[in-house]
Amino acid sequence: MSQGDDTILEHRLDAEGVDQLLLAGVNDGHFQELSRIFDIRVVLRGDQLVLSGDIRAVERAVPVARHLIELARLQVPFDVEDIGRMARDLPALGEGAPPVEGREFRIALPGSRKVISPRSEGQRSYLEAIATHDVVIAIGPAGTGKTYLAVAMALDALYKKRVKRIILARPAVEAGENLGFLPGDLQEKVDPYLRPLYDALEDMVPFERVRRFLESRTIEIAPLAYMRGRTLSDAFVILDEAQNATTLQMKMFLTRLGLNSRVVITGDKTQIDLPRREDSGLLQVERILKGIEGIALVYLSGADVVRHRLVKEIIRAYARDEGGQEE
C-alpha cells in the first residue's frame, strides 16, 4: 500500500460469534483477497475485524467485510471468487457503474453472497422512494430492476422485522385471469405467470429458506385476484406487471392497504396486454394519484437498464420505430 499518513483510517468491525476459520479462509486467504481488491490491510484481533488503509479504500471495503462477517455468523461458506463477486456488486467498483451520489443503499441479506446496490441514479431514487413512502409506483421498461429491487427491499424489511410478511402479486394473465383452459390444478395454472417473482426470490435467498417462507406463508406469491376481500397489515406488498391490472383491479388492490404496510407497484406502459389500453389501472393511478402525500411516482428509463447491454439498444430501437420516447 502507498498511502500518506494523513489519509490512513483504521475501522473496526464486530466479529463476535463468527466462525473465524470460515471468515478468514485457509491461511487467511479471504483476508488476503479482501486486502488485494481494496489495497488495504485486513487483520482479525480477538473479536474484531480491523481494516486499515486509505480512507476511501476502507470505506469501500467496509460493506463487503460486514457481509462476510454475516455469512460467517450464519455458517454460510464462501470462497475468494465470491469475495470478488461481492466487491463487483458495489457501485463504486461495478463495471461501467459510477458511484451513485446521495444516500447509500447496500442491501446485504443474511445467507446471500450478494450485495444489492443501485446501479444508476434512477435506481437510487427508486430505493429512496421505497424507504420513505408508503406507496411507490415505479414505471419503466424491462431490465431496469423494478421488481428485483422491490423484492430486495421487501426481504430487507422482513429480516429487520419491520414487517411480518411479504406478499407478491401479479395479474396472472393478460386481462381477466381466465385460467380455465390451462392444464393442471389451480396452482399449476398460475405458477408460470408468477415464475419471475420466484426467480427474484431464489436469486437472493437460499432455496430451502424460500421454501420454508412459502410453507409458513411468511412470503406469499399469488395472482392479483386473490387479494380481493383481504386487509394487508404488517406486510410489504408488491404488485408486479401492473400495466395488465384493470382499473377495477387496481382500485381493489390499493384499498387492501392496512396498518404498517408498504406497497410497491411496478409496470411498463409499453407492454400493456389488455384488449383496450385505456383500461390499464397503471395509467389511471399515474394520472389520479400524483401529489398525494405518502405516494411516490418513480420513472425509470433505458439509462437504468442493467441487463445485457443490447437490451438498452433494443428499447431505443422500438422507441424510434414507434416515433416516441423511451418510457
Side-chain angles (χ1 to χ4, degrees):
M1 291 184 295
S2 59
Q3 299 98 353
D5 291 340
D6 59 340
T7 65
I8 293 294
L9 172 71
E10 184 173 274
H11 190 95
R12 296 170 181 267
L13 295 171
D14 179 21
E16 185 178 1
V18 306
D19 182 325
Q20 294 191 357
L21 179 59
L22 182 57
L23 178 63
V26 178
N27 296 323
D28 289 345
H30 296 161
F31 292 166
Q32 291 174 23
E33 181 68 4
L34 199 61
S35 176
R36 183 192 68 79
I37 292 172
F38 293 100
D39 192 22
I40 61 173
R41 186 165 179 259
V42 183
V43 295
L44 191 63
R45 294 179 187 158
D47 288 333
Q48 292 186 323
L49 185 64
V50 182
L51 313 181
S52 58
D54 178 82
I55 184 169
R56 294 188 178 182
V58 171
E59 287 174 347
R60 292 199 304 270
V62 163
V64 178
R66 280 198 183 118
H67 196 43
L68 297 179
I69 290 170
E70 184 64 28
L71 291 176
R73 274 204 181 100
L74 294 168
Q75 296 287 314
V76 177
F78 54 88
D79 53 31
V80 292
E81 287 78 14
D82 292 321
I83 296 172
R85 195 175 305 116
M86 293 175 210
R88 288 193 297 273
D89 280 341
L90 297 175
L93 295 178
E95 297 176 0
V100 176
E101 299 298 326
R103 176 172 176 173
E104 291 186 355
F105 284 93
R106 291 181 177 134
I107 305 170
L109 300 172
S112 172
R113 298 174 183 177
K114 290 191 171 186
V115 177
I116 301 166
S117 303
R119 292 302 185 103
S120 69
E121 181 58 30
Q123 289 191 348
R124 190 203 64 79
S125 297
Y126 178 37
L127 293 180
E128 180 74 37
I130 295 174
T132 56
H133 292 77
D134 290 333
V135 177
V136 175
I137 302 165
I139 298 173
T144 50
K146 301 185 300 296
T147 304
Y148 191 85
L149 292 175
V151 170
M153 289 290 277
L155 287 167
D156 188 54
L158 180 67
Y159 280 122
K160 292 177 178 175
K161 301 189 183 302
R162 293 172 181 161
V163 297
K164 294 181 179 177
R165 55 184 173 155
I166 296 172
I167 298 172
L168 309 174
R170 245 187 177 212
V173 288
E174 287 76 8
E177 303 187 6
N178 299 314
L179 305 173
F181 68 92
L182 294 172
D185 61 23
L186 185 59
Q187 194 63 43
E188 290 171 330
K189 292 174 190 288
V190 301
D191 269 357
Y193 298 98
L194 304 176
R195 188 69 245 173
L197 298 173
Y198 286 102
D199 289 344
L201 275 176
E202 291 169 6
D203 191 55
M204 302 177 208
V205 180
F207 175 78
E208 279 303 309
R209 190 171 297 177
V210 172
R211 184 180 60 79
R212 290 198 301 270
F213 280 152
L214 292 171
E215 288 176 351
S216 66
R217 300 184 71 80
T218 302
I219 296 179
E220 180 182 350
I221 304 177
L224 176 57
Y226 283 26
M227 299 300 105
R228 191 175 302 279
R230 302 177 63 182
T231 300
L232 307 176
S233 301
D234 291 312
F236 197 117
V237 190
I238 300 171
L239 174 59
D240 192 37
E241 297 290 339
Q243 73 275 2
N244 289 328
T246 65
T247 54
L248 290 176
Q249 287 174 331
M250 184 66 77
K251 180 180 179 182
M252 176 273 293
F253 174 76
L254 285 169
T255 54
R256 301 306 94 204
L257 183 62
L259 295 175
N260 190 40
S261 287
R262 294 285 177 96
V263 168
V264 177
I265 296 169
T266 69
D268 180 355
K269 294 191 294 182
T270 69
Q271 297 192 35
I272 296 174
D273 297 317
L274 298 170
R276 297 197 318 156
R277 177 181 171 85
E278 57 270 26
D279 288 338
S280 171
L282 182 65
L283 298 183
Q284 184 186 46
V285 295
E286 180 191 19
R287 185 178 70 252
I288 69 175
L289 298 185
K290 282 183 178 177
I292 297 179
E293 186 176 354
I295 299 178
L297 269 79
V298 179
Y299 293 91
L300 299 168
S301 70
D304 302 304
V305 170
V306 292
R307 289 182 185 168
H308 193 287
R309 64 175 184 82
L310 288 178
V311 174
K312 288 185 181 181
E313 298 304 322
I314 291 167
I315 290 170
R316 289 171 182 153
Y318 272 98
R320 287 194 299 269
D321 185 64
E322 294 164 4
Q325 301 295 318
E326 295 171 34
E327 298 285 355

